Amino acid sequence: MKETWNNLKRVYSFGKEYKKNMIVFMVASFFFIFINVIYPIFTARQLTYMTSGVFESLLWATLVVFLFDILGAIRMVIIRKNTQIFFRGSFQKLQMKVSQEILKITVSNIDKHSSGVFIERLNHDCSELSHVFTKGVGQLTGILTNIGVLVAVLIINPIVFLFYLLASLIITYLYLREVEVLSKKEQNLRKANEKNIGLTGELVRGVRDIKMLNARDSFMKEIDKSITEVSNQTFDSRNTEIHYTAVIECVRALAMFLLVILLVYLVQIGMINLATAVVLFSYRTNIMSNLMQKIGDLLSEVKMFNVSANRVFSLLDTTEFSKETFGKKHLAKVHGDFEFQDVCFSYDGKNQILNHLSFQVPANHTVAFVGKSGAGKSTIFSLLCKLYPVTQGKILLDGIDINELDENSIRNNITIISQNPYIFNMSIRDNLRLVKSDLTDKEMRRACKLACLDDFIETLPEKYDTVVGESGVTLSGGQKQRLAIARAFVQKTEIILFDEATSALDNETQSKIEEAISNLQKDYTILMIAHRLSTIVNCDTIYFIEDGQVLAKGTHQTLLKNCPAYKKLYETELKAQK
Ligand code: ADP
């Protein structure tokens, strides 16, 4: 109860702005309770006047019923309009908050979960939470109406009241059992759903690779397993529902049968007249079906609401997913020198990826990292952007530990261009605007020219307004990399990290990009992980990384002399080019 109350308060805080609408639909709902209670009295009267031929009274009763029906229609419009406004507003706010919080979750936590975990919470669970007041008020109104009807029955005849009460209690008990069993099954169903959504997302995003790898059959096996799991869980829940519904329907039919016998008996012994018997009889559907169903629905709603609330709030708080933490110091503009001091790092707490790594990069220098694949080069970049926290040691930016800096000081001053950059399903212009909302046309064209992308854009039907598809699917690998490079040029941060960013470019484009990068070299601190060593021969310093440590450092010429591993790598590349 306390848990539900706290969750309700928290959900309400998202719809506070629409308090007026909530009050209107609550008042409209509760005001009509009394009309619902007296409505059956008039319909019963209609019936008795009709059978006894008292047509004048029949006309009056029919007029009242007609008025109630019109009022009912007005009520429906008022309630639906206001609930819609309340729902839409609170849902929007909740989804915005959840989206914001997802972006704060640590990358290592995101890596561990399927995307379905977040998508399901963002959509289904947020909708469930925002509906709670509108659904809850509807169900509560129904329950109160039926309680009102029960009170009316008690006043009219206590024996029939006792009968209704007993039948109601039996049916309520059965509903409660059903809700209990179903809510446990629902939790498992949601988990299976999350997994399935994640997998179907991969099916769509990975469709090309699935085709090219000819992995259709094995992927379909995984999909089959996941869909079967969801469908088994759903089937199991529906089966339970069917069994309980069948039992409840039988109990209800028996109660109706006994009710008629009871009413006939009471008329025969003269305790009630026929008209009263008809009124009492016409309350039956209200009491025996609606009341129980509504109590059951409300309880089930509360259970589902708490399940969704726990899933959403555990994401908003830090109970299930840890969030990124930043310091308070702010650097509006950095010089661009940084240092790794004895840094150790492991992704999983077992395999050490960086081992006591130390190096220093002065501002406006161009530095390259080379080494075998898996040596830990990209990890250095991820740590510098604080995508993962270091396990031991320190990373200093302008002499300040990055743990003491706020998010903007790090992310507004460092750009990373990865080998497989994420391009959003937006126009080229909007992809660039993401990093600078007030981007001018001139800046946009200049960045694309520097990234050697302008000629290609001119060939597109809608030029800069061409939408590039999910993850930039309509672009080639090289075009995606050039768009990412243009994005970095727009962002103009002091530190630019190129993580094999030119690997997918042909020689001509690559040399153009290298020229653009060399133009930046005097003003920016540039770090590169190079696919081809020929691209880094002019760097100020080259670090040869092996097993997460610096094996050797120096210029290209010094490394050729002093580092056999570097020399071998270079010679292998030269041979491959011949
Ligand atoms: P490089 O850039 O030198 O090729 P990386 O820094 O990408 O090497 O990777 C170093 C090691 O860390 C590799 O063994 C890789 O499998 C592992 N690794 C990289 N990213 C992750 C991750 N997100 N989670 C777990 N292990 C990772």
Side-chain angles (χ1 to χ4, degrees):
M1 191 68 191
K2 197 171 163 215
E3 182 199 9
T4 310
W5 180 243
N6 287 339
N7 287 338
L8 281 174
K9 275 203 294 195
R10 211 162 160 190
V11 173
Y12 171 71
S13 68
F14 289 92
K16 245 192 339 223
E17 209 179 295
Y18 308 93
K19 193 164 131 192
K20 251 201 257 161
N21 301 92
M22 186 166 161
I23 292 172
V24 171
F25 77 69
M26 277 182 153
V27 170
S29 304
F30 293 129
F31 177 70
F32 277 81
I33 291 174
F34 93 98
I35 289 186
N36 290 341
V37 174
I38 53 174
Y39 187 81
I41 297 178
F42 286 90
T43 49
R45 280 199 183 161
Q46 269 183 313
L47 205 69
T48 43
Y49 293 146
M50 210 181 284
T51 47
S52 56
V54 189
F55 292 120
E56 199 182 322
S57 305
L58 173 65
L59 195 67
W60 281 113
T62 306
L63 206 62
V64 174
V65 168
F66 170 69
L67 273 178
F68 285 167
D69 286 340
I70 296 292
L71 281 175
I74 295 171
R75 177 198 70 152
M76 191 257 308
V77 172
I78 294 175
I79 292 178
R80 288 211 180 156
K81 267 201 166 165
N82 286 284
T83 50
Q84 266 308 308
I85 295 171
F86 183 84
F87 168 75
R88 194 188 55 185
S90 52
F91 185 50
Q92 231 171 333
K93 285 229 150 86
L94 201 54
Q95 277 200 315
M96 283 299 290
K97 178 75 182 157
V98 173
S99 310
Q100 255 172 17
E101 293 301 316
I102 289 175
L103 287 176
K104 286 186 195 160
I105 293 173
T106 57
V107 177
S108 51
N109 244 295
I110 299 270
D111 291 347
K112 274 189 231 148
H113 295 90
S114 85
S115 55
V117 169
F118 305 104
I119 296 170
E120 180 78 347
R121 288 171 206 227
L122 190 58
N123 295 316
H124 179 94
D125 290 313
C126 281
S127 160
E128 190 80 23
L129 293 193
S130 310
H131 263 128
V132 71
F133 288 102
T134 52
K135 277 200 217 163
V137 169
Q139 281 152 354
L140 209 62
T141 316
I143 291 168
L144 291 178
T145 302
N146 291 315
I147 290 174
V149 170
L150 262 181
V151 173
V153 173
L154 175 66
I155 295 166
I156 299 169
N157 188 287
I159 296 175
V160 178
F161 167 76
L162 281 177
F163 175 85
Y164 271 138
L165 196 65
L166 185 68
S168 303
L169 287 177
I170 294 171
I171 299 176
T172 308
Y173 169 77
L174 290 170
Y175 264 123
L176 292 182
R177 288 282 317 138
E178 181 184 353
V179 168
E180 186 74 34
V181 175
L182 280 181
S183 99
K184 275 190 200 131
K185 291 183 189 266
E186 179 72 12
Q187 295 206 6
N188 296 335
L189 178 61
R190 298 261 182 107
K191 277 207 185 106
N193 250 333
E194 276 179 353
K195 201 174 152 220
N196 193 43
I197 290 174
L199 205 60
T200 42
E202 284 193 324
L203 169 89
V204 179
R205 282 193 302 275
V207 67
R208 283 154 195 269
D209 294 80
I210 293 170
K211 281 180 196 224
M212 282 183 306
L213 292 167
N214 202 13
R216 201 187 305 238
D217 291 344
S218 43
F219 200 84
M220 279 315 295
K221 260 191 214 151
E222 289 299 313
I223 289 273
D224 186 30
K225 244 199 286 176
S226 162
I227 291 180
T228 310
E229 177 67 17
V230 173
S231 116
N232 284 348
Q233 302 263 10
T234 314
F235 188 73
D236 187 30
S237 288
R238 296 297 88 85
N239 244 348
T240 311
E241 230 174 78
I242 291 167
H243 288 137
Y244 272 98
T245 309
V247 174
I248 290 167
E249 282 309 311
C250 289
V251 172
R252 193 175 288 141
L254 181 68
M256 297 285 183
F257 175 72
L258 294 175
L259 174 69
V260 175
I261 293 177
L262 177 67
L263 289 175
V264 170
Y265 173 72
L266 293 178
V267 171
Q268 272 186 352
I269 63 168
M271 191 179 256
I272 54 172
N273 60 26
L274 196 59
T276 311
V278 174
V279 173
L280 288 171
F281 185 68
S282 61
Y283 278 138
R284 75 196 182 286
T285 41
N286 246 319
I287 298 174
M288 274 195 298
S289 87
N290 290 358
L291 178 60
M292 295 314 116
Q293 200 152 355
K294 276 170 192 147
I295 290 179
D297 286 351
L298 184 67
L299 291 171
S300 142
E301 180 62 35
V302 166
K303 286 243 155 96
M304 302 306 164
F305 163 72
N306 282 331
V307 170
S308 288
N310 292 337
R311 287 157 51 85
V312 170
F313 296 149
S314 68
L315 196 152
L316 298 189
D317 308 330
T318 39
T319 46
E320 194 178 346
F321 307 98
S322 52
K323 303 271 172 66
E324 289 182 310
T325 51
F326 292 93
K328 293 213 161 45
K329 279 193 187 156
H330 181 69
L331 288 175
K333 199 135 185 75
V334 297
H335 294 294
D337 45 15
F338 64 85
E339 190 180 347
F340 269 51
Q341 278 185 353
D342 199 31
V343 170
C344 295
F345 178 74
S346 161
Y347 284 102
D348 55 7
K350 287 183 219 137
N351 292 331
Q352 201 72 356
I353 306 296
L354 299 185
N355 287 303
H356 302 282
L357 182 70
S358 297
F359 63 86
Q360 206 175 357
V361 179
N364 304 340
H365 270 229
T366 301
V367 167
F369 294 90
V370 296
K372 283 190 207 136
S373 167
K377 303 179 297 290
S378 302
T379 305
I380 295 174
F381 282 13
S382 299
L383 295 191
L384 187 55
C385 297
K386 216 182 165 195
L387 289 181
Y388 300 90
V390 294
T391 325
Q392 192 192 310
K394 270 187 193 169
I395 299 173
L396 307 178
L397 182 59
D398 280 3
I400 305 171
D401 185 341
I402 58 166
N403 287 331
E404 292 174 24
L405 293 174
D406 65 9
E407 187 175 8
N408 284 342
S409 302
I410 301 169
R411 308 250 162 101
N412 276 354
N413 287 307
I414 303 174
T415 312
I416 182 163
I417 307 165
S418 63
Q419 45 186 317
N420 189 15
Y422 198 89
I423 304 296
F424 296 90
N425 188 12
M426 305 171 176
S427 66
I428 291 175
R429 184 189 302 276
D430 288 341
N431 263 289
L432 297 174
R433 259 202 208 133
L434 271 182
V435 291
K436 191 168 190 285
S437 51
D438 56 351
L439 179 73
T440 62
D441 253 28
K442 198 171 156 203
E443 286 171 318
M444 179 178 74
R445 285 174 200 281
R446 187 172 173 271
C448 291
K449 193 167 174 51
L450 274 177
C452 303
L453 194 64
D454 52 336
D455 287 347
F456 163 70
I457 293 173
E458 289 306 321
T459 65
L460 295 173
E462 295 184 56
K463 313 268 190 279
Y464 286 86
D465 293 312
T466 310
V467 176
V468 293
E470 204 165 317
S471 158
V473 70
T474 59
L475 303 178
S476 71
Q479 287 156 353
K480 270 201 255 184
Q481 284 193 333
R482 280 182 281 161
L483 183 52
I485 291 171
R487 209 157 54 182
F489 288 157
V490 166
Q491 209 177 356
K492 275 196 184 149
T493 57
E494 286 305 310
I495 301 171
I496 305 178
L497 314 178
F498 290 93
D499 186 351
E500 308 203 281
T502 52
S503 58
L505 304 181
D506 55 75
N507 282 340
E508 197 192 328
T509 316
Q510 181 163 353
S511 60
K512 279 191 194 164
I513 295 278
E514 274 165 29
E515 198 187 313
I517 294 174
S518 72
N519 289 338
L520 298 173
Q521 279 179 1
K522 294 166 269 352
D523 305 317
Y524 297 85
T525 307
I526 297 175
L527 274 75
M528 295 200 240
I529 294 172
H531 185 64
R532 285 174 263 192
L533 296 190
S534 53
T535 59
I536 54 151
V537 290
N538 294 325
C539 286
D540 298 315
T541 313
I542 299 168
Y543 287 94
F544 193 94
I545 305 290
E546 196 170 276
D547 296 332
Q549 284 173 321
V550 178
L551 185 74
K553 75 171 224 188
T555 59
H556 174 64
Q557 291 306 332
T558 26
L559 283 182
L560 277 182
K561 264 192 242 147
N562 304 338
C563 178
Y566 181 82
K567 191 173 176 209
K568 194 172 160 205
L569 207 65
Y570 187 63
E571 283 169 355
T572 317
E573 190 180 306
L574 283 183
K575 260 188 221 155
Q577 280 171 3
K578 277 179 192 163

